[in-house]
Amino acid sequence: MKTRAITGFFFIIVMLASVLLGPIVFGVFFLALSLLCLHEFYGLNIKSGISVNRRSGFVNAILIYAFFALIVYQQQSAHIEYGFIFLLTLSMSSVFIFELFKISVAPLTNIAYTILGLVFVTVPFTFFNALAFIGQGYNFHIPLAFLLMLWANDTGAYLVGMSIGRHKLFERHSPKKTWEGFIGGVAISAGVGLIISRYYTELSWNHWVIMAVLIGTFGTLGDLVESMFKRSINIKDSGGILPGHGGLLDRFDGFLMAAPIVYTYLYFILNA
């Protein structure tokens, strides 16, 4: 428990610092996190017997992240944009072409899981990066609030579930999760959203609360999806990079599904 607490403390400090230190540190840090999560995802698939193409996956992940980062930074020229589109078409084609030179009993499965890693891991990080630029220029308020509400939901769900949890939420994939924990986590996250609305006025209080509900709901679904994936290959933790916490995928499972949903919601309400 002591190791878990120390790791969690330093992890939160590093995450907060990455958001507060400006757009370059923010973008590079979350690109690095996305690659580490992708590394874990591919590693789990390799353990289960699927021969994913890591090299092509990492190249495509960097190009996808960089391409959308240039768009949201609003600093790209048409030539750079067209150049990235050209590079992306070549790099995505390489996922298929390289499989021609491998001896494999299930080449399409290898291709599918290589691309799935990009969709499941890389794309959500590009949406989270875009949250900081959803207004005019770089603004750390929304990604910081997102992280605070996500952590509040996780902590609230754990504490309420441990205290009064009785009714299983989705026992087949996560035996410890309960409806009481889920509702408690969402409620505490919404409370944090209300507090944030007093200090960050980019959004009205009701939008912060809706954002918290989306994070709590889709964060829980993301957690369940990752649990389903790990159980399907008989793995307990996605990795061991965080002592006492497992792997990075274990810490970002809720983040992966919540980030695209929250960005989409904010994009439409701010551009309505």
Side-chain angles (χ1 to χ4, degrees), residues 157-186:
Y158 174 77
L159 293 176
V160 174
M162 288 289 290
S163 301
I164 61 172
R166 298 292 182 273
H167 302 86
K168 300 300 182 182
L169 177 63
F170 220 122
E171 190 171 9
R172 181 157 56 94
H173 296 305
S174 187
K176 294 182 179 180
K177 280 187 169 46
T178 63
W179 278 102
E180 293 84 354
F182 167 68
I183 295 169
V186 171

Side-chain angles (χ1 to χ4, degrees), residues 126-197:
T126 67
F127 276 102
F128 183 74
N129 178 69
L131 280 175
F133 300 88
I134 202 164
Q136 295 295 322
Y138 179 75
N139 183 354
F140 68 82
H141 289 176
I142 292 179
L144 177 60
F146 179 100
L147 292 174
L148 293 176
M149 289 187 282
L150 181 66
W151 295 335
N153 175 72
D154 291 344
T155 303
Y158 174 77
L159 293 176
V160 174
M162 288 289 290
S163 301
I164 61 172
R166 298 292 182 273
H167 302 86
K168 300 300 182 182
L169 177 63
F170 220 122
E171 190 171 9
R172 181 157 56 94
H173 296 305
S174 187
K176 294 182 179 180
K177 280 187 169 46
T178 63
W179 278 102
E180 293 84 354
F182 167 68
I183 295 169
V186 171
I188 291 172
S189 182
V192 171
L194 275 176
I195 295 171
I196 289 171
S197 71

Side-chain angles (χ1 to χ4, degrees), residues 13-14 20 43-44 52 56 60 65 70 97 100 106 124 144 150 152 176 181 216 222 236 242 252-254 266 271:
I13 294 298
V14 171
L20 298 173
L44 293 177
V52 294
S56 290
N60 278 287
Y65 188 96
L70 283 172
I97 295 170
L100 294 172
L144 177 60
L150 181 66
K176 294 182 179 180
K236 183 178 185 296
L242 298 173
F252 284 95
D253 46 11
L266 293 180
N271 293 279

Side-chain angles (χ1 to χ4, degrees), residues 80-239:
I80 294 176
E81 186 177 346
Y82 294 151
F84 265 91
I85 292 173
F86 177 69
L87 288 174
L88 271 173
T89 55
L90 287 179
S91 61
M92 288 299 294
S93 297
S94 72
V95 177
F96 297 85
I97 295 170
F98 286 163
E99 203 64 34
L100 294 172
F101 299 93
K102 293 167 59 178
I103 300 174
S104 174
V105 295
L108 291 181
T109 300
N110 300 336
I111 292 169
Y113 278 88
T114 301
I115 295 175
L116 177 61
L118 300 174
V119 175
F120 182 61
V121 177
T122 304
V123 170
F125 276 95
T126 67
F127 276 102
F128 183 74
N129 178 69
L131 280 175
F133 300 88
I134 202 164
Q136 295 295 322
Y138 179 75
N139 183 354
F140 68 82
H141 289 176
I142 292 179
L144 177 60
F146 179 100
L147 292 174
L148 293 176
M149 289 187 282
L150 181 66
W151 295 335
N153 175 72
D154 291 344
T155 303
Y158 174 77
L159 293 176
V160 174
M162 288 289 290
S163 301
I164 61 172
R166 298 292 182 273
H167 302 86
K168 300 300 182 182
L169 177 63
F170 220 122
E171 190 171 9
R172 181 157 56 94
H173 296 305
S174 187
K176 294 182 179 180
K177 280 187 169 46
T178 63
W179 278 102
E180 293 84 354
F182 167 68
I183 295 169
V186 171
I188 291 172
S189 182
V192 171
L194 275 176
I195 295 171
I196 289 171
S197 71
R198 296 178 61 87
Y199 300 95
Y200 294 165
T201 57
E202 295 91 338
L203 303 171
S204 60
W205 70 267
N206 56 311
H207 289 311
W208 284 116
V209 170
I210 292 172
M211 183 175 163
V213 172
L214 291 174
I215 290 171
T217 302
F218 286 94
T220 301
L221 289 172
D223 191 336
L224 289 168
V225 167
E226 205 234 353
S227 295
M228 175 180 67
F229 170 61
K230 289 190 296 184
R231 285 180 177 276
S232 71
I233 57 176
N234 296 315
I235 296 290
K236 183 178 185 296
D237 294 322
S238 65

